[in-house]
Amino acid sequence: MGHDTQPTTWKNPAVDPAPPPEDSVALPQDEVDQLQQARVSHAVIDQATGIVMALGRIPPDQAGSVLQEVSQHTHLTLRCLAEALTAWAHTGEIDLTIRLTLEQALHRQTPHSRGDQVRASRG
């Protein structure tokens, strides 16, 4: 009965992914770039939140409030502030205004003088 006898090949989905469904929509490159930038920003802000949590020995919600307060008082975007704090963790260097504003914000969040811990940590 005239069947085509072509060999069946097995495709590994990790190596040979299936084509996207016909109803899927490809995002324009600028949207892809924006999503990537947002993902990176979120990661840096999460890292900075962890740094503030460790410095002030405070929970994540308070650390987020501290970051927002410092961002407002230093006129830096949250992302720029987060980048400065993560760089500080690696280099030990930070802008004096950021450091002092962070100490003050931590002190306000923790009435029992947690700001002293920031001064002690910068050694």
Side-chain angles (χ1 to χ4, degrees):
M1 296 202 134
H3 287 75
D4 289 333
T5 55
Q6 292 197 359
T8 304
T9 58
W10 181 79
K11 291 190 175 197
N12 179 346
V15 176
D16 302 312
E22 288 182 27
D23 62 347
S24 71
V25 177
L27 293 174
Q29 188 60 42
D30 61 333
E31 287 184 39
V32 172
D33 293 343
Q34 287 175 354
L35 290 171
Q36 175 68 12
Q37 191 67 26
R39 188 177 64 81
V40 170
S41 292
H42 187 71
V44 171
I45 292 168
D46 284 348
Q47 292 168 8
T49 301
I51 291 167
V52 173
M53 289 170 59
L55 289 172
R57 297 182 185 168
I58 55 177
D61 59 328
Q62 283 183 298
S65 295
V66 166
L67 284 173
Q68 289 176 345
E69 181 180 337
V70 174
S71 172
Q72 290 171 356
H73 288 277
T74 58
H75 305 290
L76 293 170
T77 64
L78 196 54
R79 180 192 168 122
C80 288
L81 173 62
E83 288 173 349
L85 291 174
T86 56
W88 181 30
H90 294 284
T91 65
E93 297 177 9
I94 193 165
D95 178 81
L96 179 61
T97 301
I98 295 173
R99 189 181 75 219
L100 293 175
T101 306
L102 177 60
E103 289 176 4
Q104 293 165 356
L106 282 171
H107 185 75
R108 282 189 288 278
Q109 283 290 324
T110 54
H112 14 11
S113 192
R114 293 275 189 212
D116 293 338
Q117 294 171 355
V118 174
R119 282 187 285 282
S121 71
R122 65 173 189 239

